[in-house]
Amino acid sequence: MSFLKNINHEKYDINNIKFKTFICKDCTQKKKEYEVCLDNSCPKSLKNFGYISLQYLNNPFIYVTTPPMICLFGLDKNSNNMSLQFKNYKIDNTMQSFFEFIKNIEFIQMKYLDLDENDLDDLYISQIKWDSKNKYDPNLSVKVPFKYNRYDCDIKNENYSSMNITNINNFTKMQCDIYIDNIWKWNDKFICKWKCKKIYIL
């Protein structure tokens, strides 16, 4: 029995991704309540924007298993983020295909938001990260959810032994089950974080 879901990104037709915009009933309240937006206005122009849900067929999550990737710096305990490198994506067909899948999902989100490539960084935060000199292969920023004072993510090694997620070393090779569900707004920028549900150390 496999620990990972082993969902290949190629099973998705990203044109079948559906979006639904929710607005905030009262933005002044600390505990926010949301309702479906019935206005046909573009989401980016809504003053009471709440979030946008993604749906694929009847699934409220887009779940995918990454190819083997290098986790460059382990888990950043301040942000609970990992940087997974698209290593050799220019010559590795599988990695290139996965890179294009992630990139095209971001493009289709931007299209729904009526944004273009010129709006990258200014209005939309890509989860594909490049070093300042484009010297290295890009990385995918992945969030490890932290709920109820614990990491909501299972991790095992090749021996199927459980591990402590905070003990991941730099440049660890792994495969992960990751997913996206909603587009939020943070500091006036739209963002859709990939979140990690399972990690398999190779």
Side-chain angles (χ1 to χ4, degrees):
M1 181 176 177
S2 176
F3 172 63
L4 297 175
K5 287 180 175 289
N6 292 318
I7 301 176
N8 193 305
H9 64 277
E10 293 179 344
K11 69 163 280 209
Y12 287 103
D13 178 354
I14 63 172
N15 294 309
N16 288 330
I17 297 174
K18 305 299 182 187
F19 301 92
K20 186 182 291 184
T21 300
F22 290 78
I23 55 175
C24 187
K25 289 184 179 180
D26 185 351
C27 296
T28 64
Q29 294 296 316
K30 188 173 182 180
K31 187 175 181 180
K32 302 289 191 292
E33 293 185 11
Y34 302 98
E35 61 186 2
V36 175
C37 179
L38 301 178
D39 188 348
N40 289 325
S41 300
C42 176
K44 73 177 183 181
S45 64
L46 292 171
K47 292 183 178 179
N48 57 342
F49 174 85
Y51 67 95
I52 298 166
S53 68
L54 280 69
Q55 188 171 38
Y56 189 85
L57 302 179
N58 293 319
N59 195 333
F61 301 95
I62 297 174
Y63 237 115
V64 66
T65 303
T66 71
M69 301 179 80
I70 302 297
C71 180
L72 293 178
F73 314 114
L75 176 70
D76 184 328
K77 297 171 189 174
N78 293 319
S79 64
N80 293 329
N81 273 5
M82 298 189 301
S83 295
L84 304 183
Q85 189 175 48
F86 296 100
K87 190 172 178 62
N88 297 325
Y89 79 107
K90 291 183 178 179
I91 57 175
D92 182 325
N93 291 337
T94 299
M95 192 65 77
Q96 184 179 61
S97 177
F98 183 64
F99 173 78
E100 292 296 329
F101 167 76
I102 298 292
K103 184 175 72 171
N104 288 333
I105 278 188
E106 293 195 341
F107 282 160
I108 206 168
Q109 292 172 20
M110 293 177 67
K111 182 179 179 182
Y112 179 77
L113 291 162
D114 193 27
L115 304 175
D116 58 35
E117 288 190 61
N118 294 323
D119 295 312
L120 268 174
D121 296 328
D122 291 330
L123 295 175
Y124 181 90
I125 303 175
S126 173
Q127 298 310 293
I128 298 173
K129 307 298 182 182
W130 303 80
D131 65 281
S132 59
K133 297 180 180 179
N134 286 342
K135 184 177 178 181
Y136 302 103
D137 290 331
N139 313 317
L140 176 63
S141 178
V142 175
K143 185 91 170 179
V144 179
F146 190 81
K147 299 178 182 177
Y148 309 114
N149 208 32
R150 64 180 294 272
Y151 289 104
D152 186 21
C153 180
D154 294 327
I155 177 170
K156 292 187 183 296
N157 60 23
E158 285 185 296
N159 298 321
Y160 280 75
S161 299
S162 296
M163 297 178 56
N164 189 328
I165 195 169
T166 60
N167 291 337
I168 298 174
N169 295 322
N170 293 355
F171 307 109
T172 296
K173 193 173 184 180
M174 61 175 62
Q175 274 189 282
C176 303
D177 283 338
I178 61 176
Y179 66 94
I180 48 175
D181 49 4
N182 300 315
I183 302 171
W184 295 89
K185 208 169 186 181
W186 182 72
N187 286 350
D188 294 325
K189 299 180 182 182
F190 294 97
I191 183 170
C192 183
K193 290 290 299 182
W194 285 95
K195 295 181 272 291
C196 190
K197 190 63 179 176
K198 289 186 176 182
I199 299 171
Y200 183 53
I201 304 295
L202 300 173

